[in-house]
Amino acid sequence: MDKNIPYKIYLSEDELPRQWYNVRADMKIKPAPLLNPATGNPVTLDEMSAIFCRELAKQELDNDTPYIDIPPEILDFYKMYRPAPLVRAYFLEKALGTPAKIYYKFEGNNTSGSHKLNSAIAQAYYAKQQGLKGVTTETGAGQWGTALSMACAYFGLDCKVYMVKVSYEQKPFRREVMRTYGANVTPSPSDTTEVGRKILAEFPGTGGSLGCAISEAVETALNTEGYRYVLGSVLAQVLLHQSVIGLETMTACDKYGIKPDIIIGCAGGGSNLGGLISPFMGRKLRGEADYKFVAVEPASCPSLTRGKYAYDFCDTGKVCPLSKMYTLGSGFIPSPNHAGGLRYHGMSSVLSELYDEGLIEARSVEQTAVFEAATQFARIEGTLPAPESSHAIRAAMDEALKCKETGEEKTILFGLTGTGYFDMVAYQKFNDGQMSDYIPSDEELEKSFAKLPNV
Ligand SMILES: *Cc1c(COP(=O)(O)O)cnc(C)c1O
């Protein structure tokens, strides 16, 4: 081990960022505006405020303010589990025999087990500030629902979670954690909403999807007095809150003279990757430094690598604003054998724009390769990673192995977004040799693209 760099770099509480960083402020080409599906015009603050909390709607529309103060109440909550450690993966480097230096920012040190709490607490805070009674949301694998339940419990807000039905059945313990924190959890599609009843009638026995759960959550928020809808990824406001990951990482890197060459993150809706890279991307956009950024997605849900950059619906029920993003089409549902999370059909409009300009690279990986990396990582570095995070581990290991061939001493940084304790059904499949890979065909994707809205 290098005596100048500890295995775990912990910042002090005083070194926590006091402001979030809004990367849109430094982007020369801004992400395309969200459109009202009824009028085709950019959504206004008032329209947004019918669905989202007003302050969050403001953040969503703010392309210009680079730094936004983190309210003291949120900063206090962050102190329960932040700063998060930046770990030098000495053991992994040694096991791989690579000259590369590998670092990871670990976001799994809280009960929800992922980075999602960083935005959940911010969204719950603004809902409370506005005097709301509660919020609604959807959750797929359950991390977001868990994080939001914790945040709502802290601020005394009601929390209604629509949980994708397959996950509700496969992950009873996630559901119980949410209920323990006081949330009301409904499997989606459900008969509690009009859109849910419609989908149930059309596809009886369906296991549900994120897009469908979003529609149910939005409908319930619109129909319930004192409620708004909140979302745990994709939106620009979520990337803003998640910039706390990147800001802490940057402070730690600068303090120890660490200069990452490659920064890697898994990409579902893009919030952890966006949060991790934001301040580094800011430096790149301002011409102060250069980095290679890599988004890693599942080969079974390849929105960046095989999607279209187009306006699309964010949900199945088509109630949310239209967003211009890399998308597989709002009707796209990954094959049922896909176990690794990151199953949203679209991608953050901020990351989509950066990717379209060539400022970010993207690659896709197959899930058996992902679980191989996850297992190796767990055995070597100790932490049992979430399947989502393991996409980034896969890519980081591949980069480190490339360095082994070329002899390059690159510095590789990746986001370890969470732990995998609730993903043991997926691990079980892998351990039993029953996990397979599925890559959608071009025809399948074309069919889905054909249903993109005409904007
Ligand atoms: C939700 C989640 C992700 C993917 O979401 P992003 O918005 O793309 O970051 C990744 N890892 C973990 C552990 C998650 O819970």
Side-chain angles (χ1 to χ4, degrees):
M1 291 193 187
D2 177 343
K3 67 177 184 332
N4 296 316
I5 298 185
Y7 176 65
K8 270 188 188 164
I9 301 174
Y10 275 110
L11 298 175
S12 72
E13 233 172 70
D14 292 342
E15 292 167 302
L16 266 174
R18 296 308 199 252
Q19 294 174 310
W20 292 302
Y21 169 64
N22 180 6
V23 70
R24 287 171 286 168
D26 281 308
M27 290 170 67
K28 279 170 208 87
I29 308 176
K30 307 295 180 192
L34 294 168
L35 301 182
N36 180 330
T39 64
N41 294 324
V43 284
T44 62
L45 180 60
D46 282 341
E47 287 165 350
M48 288 275 275
S49 304
I51 303 177
F52 300 106
C53 306
R54 194 152 180 100
E55 198 56 35
L56 292 166
K58 270 191 206 158
Q59 292 180 354
E60 195 61 33
L61 298 175
D62 187 343
N63 282 340
D64 304 305
T65 314
Y67 289 96
I68 294 177
D69 286 344
I70 303 176
E73 292 86 346
I74 298 176
L75 205 59
D76 281 346
F77 187 88
Y78 278 165
K79 288 174 189 167
M80 283 194 215
Y81 68 101
R82 308 200 70 83
L86 178 67
V87 185
R88 171 77 183 269
Y90 284 113
F91 307 121
L92 183 63
E93 289 171 18
K94 194 169 163 209
L96 296 176
T98 176
K101 300 180 178 71
I102 309 174
Y103 292 87
Y104 59 89
K105 179 74 168 169
F106 182 47
E107 290 291 325
N109 270 337
N110 67 75
T111 296
S112 78
S114 83
H115 66 287
K116 295 214 170 64
L117 195 53
N118 300 331
S119 184
I121 195 63
Q123 298 196 40
Y125 168 79
Y126 290 116
K128 189 69 186 177
Q129 276 297 95
Q130 194 175 325
L132 296 178
K133 236 177 105 199
V135 291
T136 69
T137 199
E138 77 296 329
T139 197
Q143 288 98 324
W144 167 246
T146 312
L148 189 68
S149 311
M150 290 174 69
C152 286
Y154 183 75
F155 284 122
L157 281 168
D158 288 348
C159 178
K160 288 186 197 294
V161 181
Y162 286 90
M163 186 171 187
V164 176
K165 196 185 272 167
V166 277
S167 295
Y168 183 90
E169 284 157 6
Q170 270 193 6
K171 300 190 174 185
F173 294 146
R174 271 254 174 246
R175 181 180 81 211
E176 287 318 311
V177 178
M178 286 184 247
R179 293 182 59 215
T180 303
Y181 280 93
N184 176 296
V185 189
T186 308
S188 165
S190 74
D191 59 8
T192 67
T193 63
E194 202 173 306
V195 61
R197 288 188 291 271
K198 214 171 114 193
I199 292 169
L200 279 175
E202 209 175 320
F203 309 100
T206 173
S209 70
L210 266 182
C212 162
I214 294 175
S215 303
E216 289 207 275
V218 173
E219 184 184 319
T220 303
L222 289 172
N223 292 342
T224 316
E225 183 69 30
Y227 274 69
R228 290 293 185 281
Y229 166 70
V230 295
L231 178 60
S233 182
V234 188
L235 297 174
Q237 58 185 274
V238 183
L239 261 71
L240 174 73
H241 307 145
Q242 294 297 356
S243 69
V244 70
I245 304 172
L247 291 162
E248 276 183 22
T249 305
M250 193 140 145
T251 302
C253 284
D254 289 351
K255 193 169 164 182
Y256 285 87
I258 301 161
K259 294 197 175 69
D261 298 298
I262 310 172
I263 306 180
I264 300 170
C266 62
S271 75
N272 86 84
L273 176 69
L276 174 64
I277 69 172
S278 275
F280 295 97
M281 180 61 83
R283 281 184 176 168
K284 179 163 169 152
L285 291 167
R286 296 188 302 268
E288 299 162 8
D290 197 15
Y291 309 93
K292 172 166 134 173
F293 300 106
V294 182
V296 193
E297 57 186 15
S300 54
C301 193
S303 50
L304 284 173
T305 50
R306 294 177 68 201
K308 276 221 175 6
Y309 192 28
Y311 269 104
D312 194 8
F313 297 101
C314 293
D315 61 318
T316 316
K318 307 180 178 177
V319 288
C320 290
L322 291 163
S323 176
K324 187 176 177 194
M325 57 186 173
Y326 275 85
T327 179
L328 298 168
S330 62
F332 180 85
I333 296 178
S335 117
N337 79 343
H338 173 68
L342 311 175
R343 46 176 68 244
Y344 189 61
H345 65 273
M347 183 58 61
S348 142
S349 62
V350 178
L351 289 188
S352 292
E353 180 53 37
L354 292 168
Y355 176 65
D356 200 57
E357 292 175 42
L359 292 160
I360 300 178
E361 296 175 19
R363 64 183 71 154
S364 70
V365 286
E366 293 175 30
Q367 63 176 358
T368 49
V370 167
F371 277 81
E372 271 162 27
T375 305
Q376 211 177 341
F377 184 84
R379 293 178 189 177
I380 296 166
E381 286 284 326
T383 299
L384 178 77
E388 293 89 346
S389 325
S390 305
H391 289 72
I393 299 177
R394 176 74 272 161
M397 283 170 60
D398 290 345
E399 289 291 337
L401 291 169
K402 255 191 249 166
C403 290
K404 185 178 175 175
E405 275 173 31
T406 60
E408 286 174 290
E409 291 181 35
K410 285 190 182 161
T411 298
I412 300 167
L413 165 67
F414 73 90
L416 186 67
T417 49
T419 48
Y421 302 115
F422 290 110
D423 300 289
M424 295 329 285
V425 173
Y427 274 97
Q428 182 183 17
K429 263 197 197 149
F430 177 73
N431 292 333
D432 289 343
Q434 282 170 0
M435 181 172 276
S436 54
D437 294 315
Y438 180 82
I439 301 179
S441 66
D442 289 342
E443 292 76 51
E444 252 173 279
L445 295 185
E446 285 304 327
K447 249 193 222 162
S448 187
F449 295 147
K451 291 183 201 143
L452 285 172
N454 242 330
V455 181

